[in-house]
Amino acid sequence: DIVMTQSPDSLAVSLGERATINCKSSQSVLYSSNNKNYLAWYQQKPGQPPKLLIYWASARESGVPDRFSGSGSGTDFTLTISSLQPEDVAVYYCQQYYTSRTFGQGTKVEIK
Amino acid sequence: EVRLVESGGGLVQPGGSLRLSCAASGFTVSSNYMSWVRQAPGKGLEWVSVIYTGGNTYYADSVKGRFTISRDNSKNTLFLQMNSLRAEDTAVYYCARDKDLGGTGGTFDIWGQGTMVTVSS
């Protein structure tokens, strides 16, 4: 199984500042035949189901604010919130879908 | 409106069984890949099972041989039959629709609110 490891486990960022979450996979999730990274990002707020933010590592889901962006390839990926808003307080998960489906352990984002 | 509503959770003793249901509206279950994802209290997300449009099913190793995913096309409903339940199966169980990525599934664009399963004596 592909193991997904996120860092940090939690971070506190001032309002309006940038938040960066990293995700590393135990093997590449880049499919060479289509040059796509099988990597997604989700946001989960307390008491709610997760919400899809990003797929194909960098494609933003419809309706997701453009302050959220995804980058990376192969085994190393990043979710960036360019200007943290109060409503962005949540736990964020990466997930690979290259082989089966596995999630990272989550990163909790709080306001400093 | 596209919506998923789970039901069937509850308290069950170790070794017992439970059947979860997930009623869909606004789209057709049989035309989409559909998954179950669970989340133990205070923990992260764990994918459990998927059923493809053609009927093929796949499971996480942790539930293989104990859980069965199925669907009723006439009721537009997804199911998860859980047998031989263990304490470590205690979690909120979400049903989720795979996003249509042009023939590839694996990401989840529609989620239900979840149903809690507690395995305890």
Side-chain angles (χ1 to χ4, degrees), chain B residues 12 25-26 29 35 47 55 57 60 63 72 76 80 98-99 102 112 117:
Chain B
V12 61
S25 56
V29 164
S35 288
W47 170 78
T57 59
V63 307
D72 184 331
N76 207 29
L80 186 67
D98 274 42
K99 183 176 176 65
V117 172

Side-chain angles (χ1 to χ4, degrees), chain B residues 20-48:
Chain B
L20 306 182
S21 300
C22 172
S25 56
F27 71 98
T28 302
V29 164
S30 61
S31 298
N32 291 269
Y33 298 175
M34 297 294 298
S35 288
W36 289 95
V37 177
R38 69 184 179 183
Q39 187 169 35
K43 302 298 183 182
L45 300 166
E46 180 187 18
W47 170 78
V48 172

Side-chain angles (χ1 to χ4, degrees), chain A residues 71-100:
Chain A
S71 62
S73 184
T75 61
D76 293 281
F77 300 90
T78 300
L79 175 70
T80 301
I81 309 173
S82 61
S83 175
L84 193 73
Q85 301 301 304
E87 60 267 31
D88 300 335
V89 170
V91 178
Y92 293 84
Y93 295 92
C94 62
Q95 180 233 331
Q96 66 82 21
Y97 47 105
Y98 182 88
T99 302
S100 188

Side-chain angles (χ1 to χ4, degrees), chain B residues 56-69:
Chain B
N56 287 349
T57 59
Y58 299 91
Y59 301 90
D61 288 344
S62 57
V63 307
K64 201 173 296 182
R66 300 188 299 123
F67 289 13
T68 302
I69 190 171

